[in-house]
Amino acid sequence: MQPITNKLLAWYDDHHRILPWRITPRDHKSGIVANPYRIWLSEIMLQQTTVEAVKPYFLSFIRKWPAVTDLAAASQDDVMRVWAGLGYYSRARNLKKCADIVAADFGGQFPADLARLKSLPGIGDYTAAAIASIAFGLPVAVVDGNVERVITRLYALSTPLPVAKPEIRQLMQVLTPGERPGDFAQAMMDLGATICTPKRPACVICPINGHCEALKTTDPEFFPVKAPKKAKPIRLGAAFIAISADGEVYLRGRAQTGLLGGMTEVPTTEWTSRIDGETGIDAAPFTAQWVPSGTITHIFTHFELRLTIYEARNVRKPAGGNGWWISVENLDNEALPTVMKKAIAAAIPDAFAKRRKEA
DNA sequence: GAGACGTGGAA
DNA sequence: TTTCCAAGTCT
């Protein structure tokens, strides 16, 4: 075994993080096996998402759907509602698709090989390798953002990402042991998350600082090298909060694909880059006494959205329309993404009581 | 290969 | 306030 691998595994035994979806090395050694469903679920949730954000959602899902067959039996809308707030909603749509396939085509068991895992919706290179190594003990290279950072520093790779990816994968494969490959992958990720951090890494306490080329020759913080980012454009629009005399809000469903696909919204105009000050009030869902009630700003990954909020109170519910009315008290049960909650809260400040998601 | 795709927390 | 970014995937 590589000296680096050995040191990292020893470090992991003593310093691993305790996480709801994780089997500790001690339990692992006493014969307890990881649950592929839980590993899969956590890996999907952790894509581009912090551990702290994932924890309550993971526990909610496990409590509501203890096995992949339970998730397959759930409705798509239920899944979107429980996922609401976690972001990147295509993950939730693919999560449901994947559960359906595993239940229907794989007898409720996740396949234990890289190729078939990767063929499933929402499972790419990283997630397939993570499930294969952590849940099934296969010695495959697991490369996520943490591993990219650790490896580029360890070997002082100055090739920018994502060009350096194949080289990183190869170097990771060499380090990955035949025994405990899952623990090794998690050790690398824990190291990246707690010691080999993007800013001000704690090299003094790093278990492999004696092997780090970047630390030896320059500054680890210079790695990984990445292409510069582009400026975010600003898009404008208006949102309409209709409140009936009996205290209900008008909502409607978004298309199943694209931004916030499959989620719930309040009616809005198109979101455009126009700066002519047009309000777009023509796009109101129905005639009412629409009154401006401020603006909200929401930052998406690739643009900034500024919405003018119009509210109308004591609205007489019009017949027809493809939306629905829901009481303010029950808004928490809707699949509302954060931007829509902000829009509603602009008109109804106490619509969403500030409470932590139950753990 | 580059852009679409959310959110909240930290510096 | 601004910038960065956190266990990526899909097209």
Side-chain angles (χ1 to χ4, degrees), chain A residues 13-253:
Chain A
D13 286 339
D14 291 339
H15 301 285
H16 65 85
R17 290 179 290 174
I18 308 291
L19 301 171
W21 46 85
R22 179 177 279 180
I23 301 295
T24 65
R26 173 189 294 275
D27 284 348
H28 201 203
K29 281 169 188 166
S30 68
I32 294 177
V33 188
N35 178 332
Y37 167 63
R38 290 177 175 233
I39 300 301
W40 163 72
L41 178 62
S42 68
E43 291 301 343
I44 300 296
M45 289 182 164
L46 286 162
Q47 291 168 5
Q48 297 291 287
T49 308
T50 57
V51 164
E52 288 309 310
V54 164
K55 281 179 181 173
Y57 284 87
F58 175 81
L59 294 171
S60 294
F61 267 72
I62 289 299
R63 188 175 59 227
K64 197 166 172 65
W65 301 296
V68 66
T69 44
D70 299 318
L71 193 53
S75 75
Q76 162 95 16
D77 285 347
D78 253 358
V79 173
M80 301 313 285
R81 275 190 279 273
V82 181
W83 191 281
L86 196 55
Y88 282 138
Y89 299 99
S90 69
R91 293 185 297 172
R93 301 195 296 272
N94 284 330
L95 188 81
K96 172 64 176 149
K97 283 185 199 167
C98 183
D100 291 348
I101 293 171
V102 170
D105 299 346
F106 293 91
Q109 304 294 125
F110 279 85
D113 67 273
L114 220 43
R116 279 189 295 174
L117 283 168
K118 246 192 87 170
S119 75
L120 292 166
I123 299 183
D125 285 330
Y126 162 74
T127 305
I131 296 172
S133 74
I134 298 170
F136 297 118
L138 302 178
V140 295
V142 177
V143 180
D144 74 329
N146 290 304
V147 173
E148 287 174 351
R149 190 167 55 254
V150 173
I151 293 285
T152 53
R153 287 173 178 175
L154 206 47
Y155 300 103
L157 299 184
S158 48
T159 312
L161 287 172
V163 180
K165 196 104 176 213
E167 193 175 359
I168 294 169
R169 182 182 312 283
Q170 188 184 330
L171 290 164
M172 181 64 176
Q173 186 65 66
V174 172
L175 292 177
T176 300
E179 299 291 319
R180 303 182 65 194
D183 281 351
F184 177 72
Q186 294 176 96
M188 286 285 280
M189 294 191 278
D190 274 18
L191 187 78
T194 63
I195 290 179
C196 197
T197 50
K199 303 286 171 60
R200 303 185 55 114
C203 301
V204 178
I205 58 170
C206 177
I208 53 174
N209 54 12
H211 301 268
C212 185
E213 192 63 22
L215 181 61
K216 202 174 301 178
T217 60
T218 168
D219 184 348
E221 208 171 304
F222 292 156
F223 302 90
V225 179
K226 291 181 180 175
K229 301 193 168 146
K230 295 179 179 171
K232 272 186 214 292
I234 296 174
R235 293 189 197 172
L236 306 175
F240 301 93
I241 316 299
I243 307 164
S244 65
D246 56 348
E248 296 190 336
V249 178
Y250 184 70
L251 300 178
R252 61 188 191 188

Side-chain angles (χ1 to χ4, degrees), chain A residues 313 344-352:
Chain A
R313 295 181 184 271
I344 294 170
I348 314 172
D350 58 346
F352 303 97

